[in-house]
Amino acid sequence: MHPSGLPNRAPSRLTELVSRMREAGWEPTAEEVAEALWLARWAGTGVHETVTADPAPDGDRERRSAAEPSGHREPPADRRAPGNEIGPGAPAERAASLSTVSLYAPDRHGGAPSSAFPVRAPAASTLPGLLGLQRAMRPLLGYRPRLPSVPRVLDEAASAELSARSGAVRPVFGPARRPETELLLLMDASATTSVWQLTFDKLRQTCERLGAFRDVQALCLHRGSDRTPLIGTGPDPSATRLRPADQYRDTTGRRLTLVLSDCVGPLWQDGGAQRMLHRWAGGSPLAVVQPLPPRLWPRTALPGEPGLLIRDKGPGGPVTFEPDGYGRLPAHDALPVPVLLPTPAALGRWARLLGGEGRQTVRGAAAWVTSRHHAMPAPSSSHGADARDLLNAFRASASPGALDLAVHLAAVPLVLPVIQLVQEAMFPDTGPMELAEVLLSGLLERLPDVEDSPGPRYDFIPGVQNLLLQSLDQGAAELVLKHLSEYVTKRFGKGTRNFPAMAVAQLSGRFTGMESEHPEPEEPGDDEGELGEELFAEIPARVVQWYRPVRPLPDQLKDAERLLDQWRVQRDSKLLREAHEVTEGVLLAEDSGRARRVLGRVLFAQAGTPEVRRDPERRRKLLTRAEQLLSGEGPEGAATVLARAGVRHELWRMDGDSDWLHAVARDLSDPLEDERSTPATQEDRRVRLGRALLDLARTERNQEAAAEYATAAAGELRAAAGLSEAAGVSAQRRGAVLLDLVAALRLTGRSEHTRLLRLLADAEPAVRADPAAPGGRNLLLRWTGTRAQVYREAGDLQAADQAYEEAAELTARDTPQRCELFIEWGEARLLRHDDPYGAEGILREALTGAPASGRLPARAQLLLGRALVRRWQRGHFLPDLFEGSHLLELAARQSPDAVQRAESWRRLGDAGLEFPDARPPFAQAERCYRTALTEARETPGARRTGSVEAARALHALAALYERCDEPRKALAAYREAAEEWHLLAGTLTPVPRGEAGRTRERIAALETGTAGGAE
């Protein structure tokens, strides 16, 4: 009996524990059972004490605690959560609920105290079937290498006892109790690597949890440029260090090797992988895990055949193979390599083959490899083959699941995550084998990888998609597109144009698929060439065209305009290509002004597609030709003039030539033909003209001219905002126009902050109306950023910080947009409010998410370096000065902008003079100032119009000469700086009057001192 009077159930529970272990296939030793009981005793202390809530009197509790082991302690009463104790009057239900609560439930449910030490619990595995696979491979615990190692470890207890008796340190070593075997998992880094990634991860997790291996390595097998096998840590050869595969060869039998591959990649086709397996197979056990179904193995480069796998008696004995058939005998030096399916049954048989005692024989499959394994014939290309023949061949050999999957994939873009989504949603009973059948069927071709792609991209061989769509019911196509629209929303957010959802609406007849007669112009930056639009627009549009074809119009130019309008809705670049072909044909037949104008508009639309935006040279050619076509002689309608203005504005964005903006201003300065009858045209003209004038104001160096452009831009944009209601524009467009108006008024330099804040308040309902609309999030970010800038200029630091915080929440991490926002925020804290402590954290965040190179990281380094040097000047913490100097030097050497490099070198010279040395580094500072001067004068036009940074570098150099007691050099440098200030003032460039005044003061002081000394 237990001291508390409760019956002792330990023997029965112990018996049940041992029986369950034996049922699971594990024969525990007495020591292992004792360790499990000891661990269970301490792990279950807290729960056991809470559950045993008996209403015994205090005296019984004292006697019970005295009978418990001294190491067992209840948690102190003052550390228990309120209500955690179960007193005599507690309901029985409460005790029962506590008995089922894991470590630890929240305090409000009566769980353990929150002050308890946190315990890391393993998360639930995302890969199903791990337990079954682990049970199947458990026999590997019994594998013993052919040459067992004798690892020895220090026996601390025996060493201490022997040393104490002998009076000298006498170490005692004993055998190590840990697995001797290692496991090497290799995944073939071929075109289908990502298909088998989940299988590879499942196999890796199983082997890691098995407990049979001292070490488990998961690596990738690559094909080198010389066709030799290489091994790296990842599937991307450009992002990993590749080593010769034979460096991982083991000859002791202590390392098992499993190669996961479909054996159809280039490394298998030329025989390099097979020759590697032959070299490895003689030293240690290995096998190939083939995820393709056995009926497809003859089509691979390692065709396994069924038979008997035999391992001789003795540890680590070689594996031989007896095939079932009576085919051709293998070569004299051929070695068998087991070929396994990634199933518990196949892997379990292989585990029993290696881990069982005595001679083992199991059913399985194997392939023969030789030391001079020949290369396979090059596979025939599907290009040029008849699509119907390819599809018939696939139907003759494919499984029903693979065939159904291929048919449904005809309605979606072939990106691997989307393919897997369709497979999981429509055919949950299929798996990687059916997916591999489709990818290796010859019906698809792999597309080149592009940046920001969700995964590998494929496309059907020409003609195959239409044949597959013949077998797909329209209702099934709608269901597939619904799943795709959900994926687009989750992957890219609600602010992305959801073209699959629009396609579903068109197929169901709820959406006409055409815009209004006068479509609203897109805002700048709406279409930045996102890959999501390109991937998820074209295929749904083709599906819609298949089920709801549109008959071509008799007038080819009208048909081209219809295709152009249809593209504005569906964004299928194929529509633009068709319109381009039609208009080019008409233009060759008759060189009419109408054909030229339609073709110019089509080329302008093509220049804005994501595919063309990634090719700047091609985009420039399209825009240049569109501008030439739209500038021809003849009557011009409003659409032509507005399209030409858009083309010229885009050309300015590409090459920065302000002549394009002046041309836009000339074109749009007068009212257009039908402007009075259509307020939408008038609003569009004023918006385009206002934005062109605004960009002129931003690029103009003459301050007075810039103010004039800004004033004119403000007038046009104000008039456009007044027309927004009559024109029926969206709230998003009205908000963008108001933000442009605020930007123009800020550039005039004459607008009060209260007026700007009122305009921002007027724009707030518009920008917040639909943040999920395309471009809505960017517009809201722009509004919050502008408001922060206005508050900053007004000196309201607290309101500016709040606006910047709101803007930061709208940006994604590790994006240039977020980096630029934090740079602006940190610059405001550092320069306008002289707060290096607050600026430092903000600028570090900007530098963390900055790109690897370019203007943004250099700007962040420059500002952070300035903040740290400023903090040194206040707190005299020397590491700040060291880090600040390092960052300034990085900015000076890495910035692509000459003006920014000049400022960085100059401030690096200033920081060098801050070090508390007995002999300041005057020579080093002089080199920095000289380099800054050289960089400043490399700016285009700097020698003719002057440079602010050149003047500052000369002033700093002169001050250095004064400190070195060289007045003549100082005076000469001050006079050069004064000439730079004079040149800048002559071009009406804004000049910091305080700095120019200090230069003149130092010249006057030195001239007076020199004259006096001469006398």
Side-chain angles (χ1 to χ4, degrees):
M1 296 289 291
H2 194 273
S4 63
L6 297 175
N8 192 349
R9 296 185 178 180
S12 60
R13 291 184 178 180
L14 179 59
T15 303
E16 182 181 1
L17 173 64
V18 174
S19 64
R20 289 189 178 184
M21 288 181 175
R22 289 174 176 171
E23 289 176 1
W26 182 34
E27 291 289 341
T29 63
E31 183 180 4
E32 290 171 337
V33 173
E35 289 178 348
L37 292 174
W38 179 86
L39 180 62
R41 170 189 176 190
W42 293 105
T45 298
V47 176
H48 181 75
E49 291 298 327
T50 306
V51 173
T52 56
D54 65 287
D58 295 342
D60 292 343
R61 291 178 184 164
E62 292 175 1
R63 289 190 299 270
R64 187 186 316 162
S65 61
E68 292 176 350
S70 59
H72 187 78
R73 295 290 185 268
E74 279 197 28
D78 57 345
R79 295 184 60 182
R80 291 194 176 192
N84 196 36
E85 302 83 14
I86 302 178
E93 293 81 7
R94 184 174 179 186
S97 65
L98 285 173
S99 64
T100 60
V101 176
S102 61
L103 293 175
Y104 281 115
D107 291 347
R108 63 179 181 273
H109 298 307
S114 59
S115 58
F117 186 78
V119 178
R120 289 185 177 270
S125 172
T126 58
L127 302 177
L130 288 181
L131 185 58
L133 192 58
Q134 185 173 342
R135 286 175 178 171
M137 298 183 68
R138 193 169 292 160
L140 286 176
L141 290 165
Y143 174 77
R144 296 294 180 267
R146 182 171 60 252
L147 299 175
S149 60
V150 190
R152 304 180 67 79
V153 295
L154 180 67
D155 188 336
E156 297 181 2
S159 299
E161 183 176 356
L162 180 60
S163 300
R165 290 180 177 179
S166 62
V169 177
R170 297 287 184 87
V172 177
F173 294 92
R177 297 180 180 179
R178 64 172 183 172
E180 302 177 12
T181 313
E182 299 177 355
L183 179 68
L184 175 61
L185 291 175
L186 291 178
M187 182 172 65
D188 184 13
S190 62
T192 55
T193 296
S194 50
V195 178
W196 314 121
Q197 185 65 53
L198 205 62
T199 304
F200 187 68
D201 292 340
K202 181 177 179 179
L203 194 58
R204 175 185 54 79
Q205 289 188 24
T206 299
C207 295
E208 288 175 345
R209 299 177 183 182
L210 190 60
F213 305 109
R214 181 175 60 184
D215 182 35
V216 176
Q217 287 184 289
L219 303 173
C220 291
L221 183 63
H222 296 263
R223 180 176 183 260
S225 57
D226 56 352
R227 300 184 178 183
T228 58
L230 303 174
I231 292 179
T233 56
D236 185 3
S238 62
T240 182
R241 181 181 178 183
L242 300 179
R243 300 176 181 273
D246 284 340
Q247 290 187 7
Y248 294 85
R249 177 185 175 190
D250 176 62
T251 59
T252 65
R254 298 191 186 99
R255 178 182 295 162
L256 308 184
T257 303
L258 286 175
V259 182
L260 175 65
S261 175
D262 49 29
C263 305
V264 297
L267 188 60
W268 299 89
Q269 296 293 333
D270 59 28
Q274 293 91 324
R275 292 190 289 271
M276 181 197 75
L277 295 180
H278 184 272
R279 292 192 299 270
W280 290 22
S284 60
L286 59 82
V288 173
V289 180
Q290 171 59 271
L292 293 179
R295 58 187 175 80
L296 296 181
W297 290 359
R299 297 164 55 181
T300 68
L302 194 72
E305 51 182 319
L308 288 177
L309 293 170
I310 305 169
R311 182 180 65 83
D312 292 339
K313 185 177 181 180
V319 175
T320 58
F321 178 64
E322 294 182 1
D324 290 343
Y326 297 95
R328 187 178 59 180
L329 293 176
H332 68 281
D333 64 338
L335 296 177
V337 173
V339 180
L340 317 172
L341 284 171
T343 60
L347 291 169
R349 286 194 295 268
W350 181 71
R352 292 196 301 273
L353 176 70
L354 298 183
E357 295 182 359
R359 189 174 187 269
Q360 295 291 323
T361 302
V362 299
R363 293 286 306 172
W368 298 98
V369 293
T370 64
S371 59
R372 297 183 178 182
H373 207 97
H374 60 81
M376 295 282 293
S380 58
S381 175
S382 300
H383 286 282
D386 184 70
R388 194 173 298 276
D389 293 341
L390 291 174
L391 186 56
N392 290 337
F394 174 66
R395 283 174 172 164
S397 60
S399 64
L403 183 58
D404 290 339
L405 179 60
V407 170
H408 285 73
L409 290 179
V412 297
L414 297 180
V415 188
L416 188 61
V418 176
I419 295 173
Q420 293 171 333
L421 169 71
V422 173
Q423 184 181 21
E424 180 181 354
M426 305 297 293
F427 308 102
D429 294 336
T430 61
M433 293 185 183
E434 289 80 4
L435 176 56
E437 288 187 65
V438 177
L439 296 181
L440 302 174
S441 62
L443 303 179
L444 307 179
E445 58 180 344
R446 177 76 181 268
L447 298 180
D449 294 332
V450 295
E451 190 177 359
D452 298 332
S453 173
R457 304 184 306 149
Y458 301 86
D459 196 7
F460 283 107
I461 297 297
V464 172
Q465 184 181 19
N466 290 341
L467 293 175
L468 290 173
L469 286 175
Q470 293 177 3
S471 304
L472 183 63
D473 180 72
Q474 180 175 336
E478 292 181 21
L479 182 58
V480 171
L481 290 173
K482 286 180 181 178
H483 289 296
L484 180 61
S485 68
E486 295 175 359
Y487 172 81
V488 170
T489 302
K490 294 178 181 178
R491 175 68 170 78
F492 300 99
K494 294 183 178 180
T496 303
R497 294 181 179 93
N498 199 324
F499 293 101
M502 296 168 60
V504 172
Q506 288 177 277
L507 290 175
S508 59
R510 299 191 305 270
F511 185 71
T512 62
M514 299 298 293
E515 287 191 344
S516 61
E517 184 179 355
H518 300 284
E520 182 175 306
E522 295 182 357
E523 296 297 321
D526 278 2
D527 187 358
E528 293 299 332
E530 289 186 357
L531 187 65
E533 177 172 311
E534 181 182 13
L535 288 176
F536 300 101
E538 294 186 6
I539 302 301
R542 295 179 195 174
V543 175
V544 173
Q545 293 169 24
W546 172 262
Y547 290 106
R548 292 181 173 270
V550 179
R551 183 175 301 175
L553 299 176
D555 187 338
Q556 289 185 310
L557 291 180
K558 284 188 176 180
D559 193 53
E561 291 177 333
R562 177 192 62 80
L563 291 170
L564 184 59
D565 292 338
Q566 191 175 353
W567 168 81
R568 291 194 178 99
V569 176
Q570 298 179 349
R571 292 307 169 100
D572 181 7
S573 59
K574 181 181 177 182
L575 298 171
L576 289 179
R577 289 194 293 268
E578 293 179 7
H580 189 180
E581 293 175 0
V582 170
T583 50
E584 287 282 13
V586 174
L587 190 61
L588 288 175
E590 52 172 330
D591 189 2
S592 63
R594 182 184 170 208
R596 295 172 65 88
R597 290 190 292 272
V598 174
L599 180 57
R601 291 165 55 196
V602 170
L603 294 178
F604 181 32
Q606 281 187 311
T609 58
E611 178 185 2
V612 177
R613 282 181 178 271
R614 290 193 292 268
D615 188 351
E617 190 60 32
R618 181 185 173 194
R619 185 165 185 254
R620 185 188 302 278
K621 291 180 180 179
L622 289 173
L623 289 172
T624 302
R625 189 178 178 212
E627 196 273 336
Q628 295 171 353
L629 292 170
L630 294 170
S631 302
E633 297 180 358
E636 295 181 339
T640 301
V641 177
L642 294 174
R644 185 172 64 226
V647 170
R648 289 172 172 173
H649 211 143
E650 288 299 322
L651 284 170
W652 168 80
R653 290 190 177 99
M654 291 199 71
D655 56 28
D657 188 355
S658 60
D659 289 343
W660 294 119
L661 294 178
H662 287 291
V664 173
R666 287 194 302 270
D667 275 352
L668 302 179
S669 58
D670 297 327
L672 304 178
E673 290 181 2
D674 55 349
E675 182 172 313
R676 295 180 180 177
S677 59
T678 55
T681 303
Q682 184 180 0
E683 189 267 352
D684 191 10
R685 179 187 69 84
R686 290 187 176 276
V687 169
R688 291 182 185 274
L689 177 58
R691 286 172 174 169
L693 293 170
L694 179 58
D695 287 331
L696 280 171
R698 288 167 172 162
T699 56
E700 180 60 52
R701 295 189 64 183
N702 188 314
Q703 192 172 10
E704 293 183 1
E708 291 178 4
Y709 286 133
T711 302
E716 296 292 338
L717 293 169
R718 188 181 292 106
L723 291 168
S724 59
E725 184 174 354
V729 301
S730 64
Q732 181 178 343
R733 179 171 173 86
R734 182 175 184 275
V737 171
L738 288 175
L739 290 179
D740 290 332
L741 176 57
V742 171
L745 291 173
R746 290 175 60 199
L747 287 176
T748 61
R750 299 188 296 270
S751 185
E752 298 179 356
H753 295 107
T754 53
R755 182 185 179 188
L756 298 177
L757 291 173
R758 283 198 302 270
L759 283 174
L760 289 172
D762 293 340
E764 183 174 7
V767 299
R768 294 188 185 274
D770 190 9
R777 189 180 183 90
N778 289 335
L779 183 64
L780 182 58
L781 174 61
R782 182 183 166 200
W783 177 81
T784 53
T786 304
R787 191 176 60 151
Q789 294 168 0
V790 173
Y791 279 129
R792 180 191 66 188
E793 294 167 358
D796 192 343
L797 177 60
Q798 184 176 0
D801 282 344
Q802 292 176 354
Y804 277 121
E805 288 175 2
E806 182 180 357
E809 294 176 357
L810 298 171
T811 59
R813 295 190 64 86
D814 301 329
T815 58
Q817 195 178 36
R818 182 180 179 88
C819 175
E820 196 162 3
L821 175 69
F822 274 77
I823 287 175
E824 180 185 309
W825 189 4
E827 186 176 12
R829 295 295 295 264
L830 176 63
L831 303 184
R832 289 190 172 269
H833 304 286
D834 194 21
D835 181 17
Y837 298 95
E840 186 228 358
I842 298 171
L843 292 171
R844 286 194 188 278
E845 177 69 20
L847 194 57
T848 300
S853 60
R855 181 185 59 85
L856 287 179
R859 183 65 180 165
Q861 289 165 349
L862 171 60
L863 291 172
L864 181 56
R866 292 181 60 182
L868 291 170
V869 172
R870 182 62 177 152
R871 200 166 70 173
W872 147 259
Q873 293 171 348
R874 291 189 179 182
H876 295 285
F877 184 56
L878 195 56
D880 283 344
L881 187 56
F882 276 106
E883 185 183 2
S885 300
H886 173 67
L887 290 169
L888 290 173
E889 185 174 1
L890 288 178
R893 296 186 183 277
Q894 298 176 3
S895 175
D897 181 59
V899 176
Q900 193 167 284
R901 290 197 301 270
E903 182 183 359
S904 302
W905 282 116
R906 176 174 58 84
R907 295 194 178 276
L908 179 60
D910 294 342
L913 297 175
E914 292 283 343
F915 280 92
D917 296 335
R919 298 180 60 185
F922 292 133
Q924 181 180 351
E926 182 182 10
R927 285 195 299 270
C928 290
Y929 294 144
R930 289 289 181 188
T931 308
L933 180 61
T934 303
E935 295 284 2
R937 285 179 172 168
E938 287 183 0
T939 307
R943 296 185 182 274
R944 178 174 51 86
T945 61
S947 166
V948 174
E949 277 304 320
R952 288 171 173 168
L954 287 167
H955 186 98
L957 189 61
L960 177 66
Y961 288 146
E962 281 197 88
R963 290 185 61 177
C964 295
D965 197 19
E966 298 184 29
R968 294 184 183 276
K969 286 186 177 181
L971 181 58
Y974 279 131
R975 285 172 176 169
E976 285 189 63
E979 291 178 6
E980 291 287 337
W981 295 126
H982 182 70
L983 285 174
L984 290 167
T987 58
L988 300 179
T989 302
V991 175
R993 299 187 180 277
E995 296 182 44
R998 284 192 293 273
T999 300
R1000 291 193 297 270
E1001 290 174 2
R1002 296 310 308 154
I1003 291 174
L1006 286 174
E1007 287 178 342
T1008 304
T1010 302
E1015 294 176 355

